[in-house]
Amino acid sequence: MAQGARRTTGQVVGVVVLAAAVTAFLAVAAVRHGFFDLKVYYGALTWWVHDGGEIYDYLKPGTQYGFTYPPFAALVMLPMAYLPWSAAIVVSVLASVATTTVLIWWLVDPIARRAGWTRWFALAVALCLVAAFEPMRETVNFGQVNTLLLFLVAVDLLRLLPAGNRWAGVGIGLATAIKLTPGVFIVYLLVTGRWRAALTACGTAAGVSLLAAALFPDASREFWTEALWNTGRVGELAFVSNQSLRGVAARLDPEHPSTLLWLLLVLGTLALWAWRSRAAVAAGDEATGLALTGAVMCLVSPVTWVHHLVWLLPALILLVDNAMAAPDGRRRRVLLVAATIGYALLISRTVWLWEKDFTGLDGFLGSNAYVWISLALLAFLPIRGWLTPPGSVVEEPGVPQLDQTDRGLPTGERHMVGRPLTVR
């Protein structure tokens, strides 16, 4: 058998073994939620379309949970009301798988090309590992929209914006109109001085929201004046699944969570994010800008359930990217260990050990474990620098730069992760 055929056979066997191991892990570790959130969407849309009720008045029977997204999200999900329940599940799962696959390809393929890995093999391994990632398996099991939103934002930041495309910002605008929290990426565009893209994002979000208001005036009025401000619909802030700074403050004193402490933590976190994001964009590192903003969104949002932490995926992949690009073995080992520890914790359901009792030092550290990971990624994820305008180099002490062989690349390709980097 030729060497190439043996290599391919070995890779196929390796993927099959890894897929089997992940399947066995999920059979033991994954919690089945029965597409709970999808049932809320489906029930609310059915109540609205077929039963004559108002969408924001609907509560899933026996729970306090109702439709909490803006009216444009209801418009996007409207076809679900005309599908059988089983078909709605299939569409939800396929949408999550498709958007995740494209996103992982964008992030992993450049690393594979640079490292000399077989590209399909790198993608297959990455997808197996992502399937075990707790936020991802929770997203699928709940029937959530997280990967769709991440994909829309990534289209702008990894594809359109670095290429100077005039449509950059549309994806962020759509994501913001579907669920308000991605609006932090509009702030990211403003903080980093991309005014046109920010205006496009704002215009898109406003335009589709006005379209939804024109089509569904009663629902829009109720959402913006009542439902949006009813925080009791989203769940208890101190619940261990809330891995945000607000959750940290609430678990310190569940009866009287300190709003002042939360706001001070948010302000400090936003200051760190703005500084690091500006440095990333100055270095031409749009992928790290995406990763940092995803992390800060999880931190400053009042409610960040575990499934929302799919926004940490770009940061974890970029840790591996930086490790593979490291000019010395020690730095590579440090980054790979950091990526491994972060990933291992985020597949382990660690925080749930303190679901019933998060008191004491161990409770404080353990119940907020995913928050500490988000903070560590925000503070320490390396920023990679490379050539910005042709003929110039971003020089920052300790910041990786493009190798000479990459300086002739078209501007639209310099955003891609996985570049051969050196430290000056």
Side-chain angles (χ1 to χ4, degrees), residues 62-77:
T63 77
Q64 61 182 351
Y65 296 104
F67 196 86
T68 58
Y69 294 164
F72 179 67
L75 176 61
V76 172
M77 297 182 188

Side-chain angles (χ1 to χ4, degrees), residues 240-264:
V240 75
S241 183
N242 185 13
Q243 291 293 302
S244 69
L245 294 172
R246 184 63 160 158
V248 174
R251 282 186 286 277
L252 286 174
D253 185 358
E255 296 298 324
H256 305 94
S258 173
T259 300
L260 176 61
L261 173 61
W262 172 57
L263 291 176
L264 290 175

